[in-house]
Amino acid sequence: MTSHTTNTPSTSVRIKRKFGAAPVAVNIVLLVATGYFLLPVFWLVVAATKSRPDLVSSFGFWFLRPQLFQNLQELFSEQDHVFGQWMLNSLLYSGVGALVGTVLAACAGYCLAVYRFRGKEAIFSLILGSVLVPATALALPTFLAFAKVGLTDSYLAVLLPSIISPFGVYLSRIYTQAAVPLELLEAGRIDGANEWQIFRAVVLRLISPALVTVFLFQFVGIWNNFFLPLIMLQNDRLFPVTLGLYSWQSQISRNPQLLLLTVVGSLVAVVPLVITFLSLQRYWKAGLTTGSVKG
Amino acid sequence: MSASVVDAPKRRRLGSRIAPAAFLLPFLIPFLLIFIGPIGYAVVQSLQKVERVAGLFGTPTTVWAGFAQYQRALSDSDFVASIMRVLLFGVIQVPVMMGIALLVALLLDTQSARLKRFHRLAVFAPYGIPGVVAALMWGFLYDPRLSPIVSGLEAVGLHPDFLGTDHILWSIANVVTWTYAGYNMIIIYAALQALPSDILEAASIDGARPLRLAFHIKVPLIAPALVLTAVFSIIGTLQLFTEPEVLKTITTTITSTYTPTMASYSAASANDYSYAAALSVLIAGVSFVLSFGFLRFTTRWNGTS
C-alpha cells in the first residue's frame, strides 16, 4: 500500500507543487470537519465532570469545579450497582458474541474459499444476500421466533443472534482466497497434517488481520446494538449498557437526579470501545482496505 | 490462484469429505436456525391473525388471514407516512453524508493536508460511539435547557428549535450523519490510497489541476467503494430506529410510529404480533430490493463487475 504513495523525488516535488494550490483552504476545511466531529464528544467529557447544578447552569463547553471522581462513585452505586452490571453484561455480550462469531465465520469463510462441494455457490449467495437484509428488520422476526420457544428475556436471547456474522464469512472468504496459497495447504497435507491442524497452524496465522477486523466490528456492532436487547429483555439486570442508559434517560422527567448519571454513564460506556479501537488500530485499518477494494 | 489449479483426485484423497462440513456447519446451522428461520416464521405469522372466539375473554385462536395484514399496513396512514418520512430522510441524508465523507477523504489524500492521522481518527471516532449515546449527547445539545449551542445562537439573535416539528427530522439526520460519515470516509480514503500512483502522476504531468484530478480521475476509479458505502447507508436509513427512539424521550414531536421500524416495534409491544411480523417483512423486503437494485443499477452503469 505504502509503495503506491511514495514517489521518486522529482515527481513528488512536481505533485506537491500541483497539489499545493490551496493548502490553507484544505487545512481550514479539515479543521472545521474535525471540530464538528469532536465537539459533542468534548461536551460529553466536560459535562461528565460537573456537579448537578453546574450541569444546567454553566457554559457547556468548558470545565467548572470538576468532580469526575465523585460522579463516577455515584454512577456505580446508583440502584444497587446496576451500572456495573450493565457494563459487565455488555462485555459479556460483545466479547463472547464477537469471539464465537469470528471463529465460526473464519471456519466457514475458509471452507468456502478452499474446498469444492455441491451447493457451495448457492450457500455463499444466501450468506451474501443476508448481508443486505438489515439487522433491525431481522431482530423482530427473531424475537417472534424466540418468544415461541420461550427463549426471550435471557442472556442467550441476545447472545445467540449476535454470533452470526454473514459479513465475517464474506470477508474471511475473500481474504483466504487472497492470502492463503493452495500450494501451502497441499504441502501441509503431504507432511501428514490433518485438515484441522493445517487450519490452526497455517491458515489462522495468515488470515489473522482479517479476523481481527471481523472481531472488532462485531464487538462494536454488538456493543452498540440497541433494538435487539430492547425487544428481547425485560429484566434490567440483563440489560447491556446502551439499553440501561436509555431506560435512565426515559425516567429523567420523573427523576431529574438521573440526568447527570446518564451523562456520566454515556462517557463510561464509550471507554471500552476506545480502548479496543486504539489497541487494535493497525489491524482494522488493514482490514477495512481489504473489504472495500475487493468489494 | 483458484481451486481448479489443484487436481481433483489428490484433493479428494487428502482432504476428506467430512472436513468441509466440519468447517461450514458450525456457522451454517445457527445461521439457518437463528437468521433464516425467523424470517420464514415471520412470513408465516404475517399471513395469520389472532381471533378471540367468544368475545374479549374467549380463548385466542390463530387463523389464516392471507394478505390481510399487508393490506392493513398499506392502508395504515401512519405506516405509509413513516415510509415516506424515511425515504425523504434517505434522499437528503445519504448524499449529504457521502459528500462529507468523500470531501474529507479527498482532502486527506492531498499533499497539502497536515495532521492527517489526527484528522482521520477524529472524523472516524463517532463511529465507535453507540447510537444510543450519540442520540443522548446530541439530544442534550439540542435541548434549550442544557445546550451551549442553543444559548450561543440565541445570544446572536437566532432562535433555533431543533426539537420542533419542522426541524426534528433533520436533527435526527445530523446525528446519523455525525455517527457514520467517518466510517464511510475511512473506506473511501483506503480506496484512494490504493489507487496506482502512475495514473495519478501521468494525469498530473499532463497538467490536471487538483480539482480535475479529484473529480475526473480519482472519483471514477474509486466508484466501487462509493457504491459499497452507499448500499450500506441505504440499508441503514430504512431501519432508522435508535436515534428517533432515544430522542423521543425528550420531545413530543416524535410519535411511536415515526419510522417503519418504530411502527413495527410499537405493534409488537401491543402484542399485535401478526401485524408486527407483516411490517418487518415489508421493511426487510423493501430494503433488500432497494440495495440490491442499487447495486445492479450502478454496476451496469459503471460497466464494472
Side-chain angles (χ1 to χ4, degrees):
Chain A
M1 213 60 57
T2 44
S3 65
H4 293 313
T5 51
T6 48
N7 305 296
T8 58
S10 65
T11 49
S12 93
V13 167
R14 193 191 302 272
I15 285 177
K16 188 171 269 172
R17 206 191 52 207
K18 291 287 183 191
F19 280 173
V24 180
V26 165
N27 285 291
I28 287 177
V29 177
L30 279 176
L31 279 174
V32 169
T34 291
Y36 166 70
F37 288 103
L38 283 187
L39 201 64
V41 183
F42 180 69
W43 176 85
L44 185 67
V45 173
V46 170
T49 67
K50 287 185 175 171
S51 67
R52 285 204 169 78
D54 287 348
L55 180 61
V56 279
S57 62
S58 66
F59 177 60
F61 286 129
W62 200 244
F63 298 93
L64 187 75
R65 292 186 284 271
Q67 49 160 27
L68 180 62
F69 187 69
Q70 194 184 322
N71 289 349
L72 286 174
Q73 250 178 347
E74 206 183 314
L75 170 72
F76 279 98
S77 56
E78 174 77 13
Q79 289 172 22
D80 200 20
H81 313 289
V82 75
F83 189 81
Q85 177 82 52
W86 292 341
M87 289 293 282
L88 288 177
N89 290 342
S90 276
L91 278 176
L92 175 85
Y93 293 132
S94 302
V96 175
L99 194 67
V100 175
T102 305
V103 171
L104 297 186
C107 293
Y110 168 71
C111 175
L112 291 168
V114 304
Y115 293 111
R116 278 187 296 175
F117 51 90
R118 219 183 314 155
K120 176 170 122 167
E121 287 313 313
I123 291 171
F124 186 63
S125 304
L126 184 67
I127 294 171
L128 200 56
S130 66
V131 174
L132 293 182
V133 178
T136 305
L138 268 173
L140 201 74
T142 313
F143 164 75
L144 297 173
F146 277 28
K148 186 82 180 168
V149 294
L151 250 176
T152 53
D153 206 22
S154 67
Y155 279 113
L156 280 181
V158 177
L159 263 177
L160 282 180
S162 305
I163 62 169
I164 309 202
S165 168
F167 187 71
V169 176
Y170 163 75
L171 200 61
S172 302
R173 184 193 181 179
I174 55 167
Y175 203 89
T176 304
Q177 280 172 339
V180 182
L182 287 172
E183 294 76 15
L184 207 58
L185 306 181
E186 285 305 312
R189 288 181 185 125
I190 289 163
D191 287 348
N194 69 35
E195 297 297 305
W196 178 246
Q197 286 165 334
I198 293 171
F199 178 70
R200 271 194 53 188
V202 181
V203 177
L204 273 187
R205 206 158 298 172
L206 289 174
I207 65 172
S208 60
L211 297 188
V212 176
T213 310
V214 172
F215 175 86
L216 184 69
F217 282 91
Q218 222 184 333
F219 186 92
V220 175
I222 302 170
W223 190 280
N224 295 353
N225 200 348
F226 172 61
F227 191 50
L228 183 75
L230 175 71
I231 54 175
M232 287 289 185
L233 302 176
Q234 301 282 323
N235 178 359
D236 72 351
R237 306 304 294 192
L238 301 179
F239 283 7
V241 68
T242 49
L243 188 51
L245 288 170
Y246 167 76
S247 73
W248 274 358
Q249 162 83 5
S250 52
Q251 294 166 43
I252 287 176
S253 54
R254 275 170 284 145
N255 180 5
Q257 299 289 315
L258 286 174
L259 173 61
L260 179 71
L261 296 186
T262 307
V263 169
V264 182
S266 297
L267 182 64
V268 175
V270 176
V271 172
L273 295 174
V274 173
I275 294 172
T276 315
F277 262 109
L278 289 181
S279 54
L280 297 176
Q281 220 190 111
R282 63 199 177 97
Y283 290 103
W284 59 259
K285 274 181 201 153
L288 271 175
T289 321
T290 322
S292 59
V293 171
K294 305 281 173 179
Chain B
M1 191 56 90
S2 73
S4 56
V5 174
V6 183
D7 58 309
K10 189 190 271 179
R11 168 164 296 275
R12 188 153 300 148
R13 181 169 54 82
L14 293 164
S16 71
R17 279 180 166 279
I18 346 166
F23 279 114
L24 189 60
L25 290 180
F27 173 82
L28 199 62
I29 291 171
F31 172 71
L32 292 175
L33 280 178
I34 305 168
F35 214 90
I36 304 294
I39 299 178
Y41 180 65
V43 171
V44 170
Q45 199 162 14
S46 71
L47 299 172
Q48 299 172 333
K49 68 177 176 184
V50 174
E51 267 180 0
R52 291 179 191 279
V53 209
L56 192 61
F57 300 104
T59 23
T61 48
T62 306
V63 295
W64 201 246
F67 290 102
Q69 302 289 3
Y70 292 95
Q71 274 173 349
R72 187 181 150 198
L74 296 177
S75 56
D76 179 344
S77 60
D78 285 344
F79 183 68
V80 173
S82 76
I83 297 223
M84 302 315 279
R85 194 174 289 121
V86 291
L87 286 179
L88 173 68
F89 178 97
V91 165
I92 310 280
Q93 189 267 334
V94 173
V96 167
M97 176 178 65
M98 298 284 297
I100 294 174
L102 180 62
L103 176 71
V104 173
L106 284 170
L107 290 177
L108 283 176
D109 197 47
T110 64
Q111 302 268 332
S112 334
R114 300 277 163 262
L115 303 169
K116 289 186 189 195
R117 274 175 59 90
F118 166 70
H119 286 305
R120 217 166 50 203
L121 204 61
V123 175
F124 181 67
Y127 178 71
I129 294 187
V132 171
V133 172
L136 286 171
M137 250 171 9
W138 278 103
F140 294 133
L141 291 173
Y142 293 149
D143 192 334
R145 289 167 300 174
L146 276 174
S147 171
I149 294 177
V150 174
S151 44
L153 288 171
E154 275 173 353
V156 296
L158 291 168
H159 298 281
D161 183 14
F162 293 121
L163 299 171
T165 323
D166 294 343
H167 300 127
I168 186 70
L169 189 63
W170 311 115
S171 299
I172 297 169
N174 175 53
V175 182
V176 176
T177 304
W178 181 81
T179 310
Y180 295 104
Y183 173 78
N184 294 313
M185 181 278 289
I186 291 277
I187 292 180
I188 296 168
Y189 181 72
L192 284 171
Q193 294 276 292
L195 290 181
S197 55
D198 45 356
I199 295 180
L200 303 178
E201 274 167 31
S204 177
I205 290 164
D206 284 350
R209 296 189 155 275
L211 270 181
R212 207 180 151 74
L213 191 67
F215 288 100
H216 286 94
I217 314 277
K218 288 181 180 178
V219 171
L221 284 175
I222 58 159
L226 291 173
V227 170
L228 183 83
T229 51
V231 167
F232 283 117
S233 305
I234 292 170
I235 298 175
T237 300
L238 285 154
Q239 54 180 327
L240 189 64
F241 179 80
T242 304
E243 292 81 5
E245 180 69 25
V246 172
L247 288 173
K248 185 160 87 68
T249 59
I250 58 165
T251 174
T252 52
T253 48
I254 299 174
T255 61
S256 60
T257 57
Y258 197 73
T259 71
T261 308
M262 285 173 78
S264 72
Y265 170 63
S266 83
S269 314
N271 290 330
D272 198 349
Y273 286 174
S274 299
Y275 191 50
L279 295 188
S280 49
V281 169
L282 277 175
I283 297 164
V286 168
S287 54
F288 185 85
V289 167
L290 270 187
S291 40
F292 191 72
F294 184 78
L295 264 179
R296 286 294 294 270
F297 173 75
T298 48
T299 44
R300 184 171 304 172
W301 181 61
N302 273 315
T304 54
S305 66

